[in-house]
Amino acid sequence: MKRIGLLSDTHGWLDPVVVKHLKECDEIWHAGDIGGIEIADKLAEIAPLRAVHGNIDDHNVRMVYPKHQRFVCEEVDVWITHIGGYPKNYDRNVKPEIFENAPQLFISGHSHILKVIFDKELNLLHINPGASGVHGFHKVQTIVKFTIEAKEIKDLQVVEFGSKGK
């Protein structure tokens, strides 16, 4: 069993509220736009970090974190990418692979819009944790926490905080 802390779009800002919530997690997953290798390093000090780079990340982040991560956690096939879209509107860069070889859990960021959607057509759960940083149009910062046990994704919790760092 693993407790996962999922965030995206920190854009160089790691809120103390995020740190507090991630301390109880076994792994941290970041869906891109980290905003600097220092943020990734801070997250990795809290718990093991799996991350992808986003469109605003510099070469230092891109050298360490790939565009896509596909792996198995417990018995769940997971795919994390920054720009992935969502059910009925997947990004053209993931569409061929997702329809050919769909994961059980598809995670993306980029939009700054929190979404948790089950795709009945592909039999997968899509999660976009929204944005936990202060840059962007979003009004509330968010992260998502959940548990993976064997093949089951459960105990999903949305954490809303701040008003963009205020």
Side-chain angles (χ1 to χ4, degrees), residues 89-129:
N89 193 25
Y90 292 110
D91 185 78
R92 64 182 169 80
N93 293 308
V94 303
K95 215 176 219 180
E97 176 71 16
I98 207 163
F99 279 94
E100 174 95 11
N101 184 21
Q104 186 178 347
L105 176 58
F106 180 65
I107 296 168
S108 63
H110 187 60
S111 71
H112 293 220
I113 300 169
L114 172 75
K115 289 186 182 189
V116 178
I117 304 170
F118 186 75
D119 184 331
K120 292 177 187 171
E121 180 182 359
L122 296 177
N123 195 35
L124 67 80
L125 179 64
H126 164 69
I127 303 175
N128 182 324

Side-chain angles (χ1 to χ4, degrees), residues 30-128:
H30 196 301
D33 278 0
I34 297 166
I37 201 70
E38 315 78 33
I39 298 296
D41 291 345
K42 286 178 188 175
L43 290 168
E45 288 174 9
I46 300 167
L49 174 65
R50 294 183 191 258
V52 295
H53 71 259
N55 56 298
I56 66 104
D57 288 316
D58 66 14
H59 70 282
N60 294 315
V61 173
R62 289 169 187 255
M63 285 175 41
V64 178
Y65 299 103
K67 183 175 185 175
H68 304 279
Q69 282 232 30
R70 184 98 184 234
F71 57 93
V72 174
C73 178
E74 294 284 298
E75 297 174 44
V76 174
D77 180 9
V78 180
W79 181 1
I80 304 174
T81 193
H82 184 59
I83 302 174
Y86 52 90
K88 304 288 186 211
N89 193 25
Y90 292 110
D91 185 78
R92 64 182 169 80
N93 293 308
V94 303
K95 215 176 219 180
E97 176 71 16
I98 207 163
F99 279 94
E100 174 95 11
N101 184 21
Q104 186 178 347
L105 176 58
F106 180 65
I107 296 168
S108 63
H110 187 60
S111 71
H112 293 220
I113 300 169
L114 172 75
K115 289 186 182 189
V116 178
I117 304 170
F118 186 75
D119 184 331
K120 292 177 187 171
E121 180 182 359
L122 296 177
N123 195 35
L124 67 80
L125 179 64
H126 164 69
I127 303 175
N128 182 324

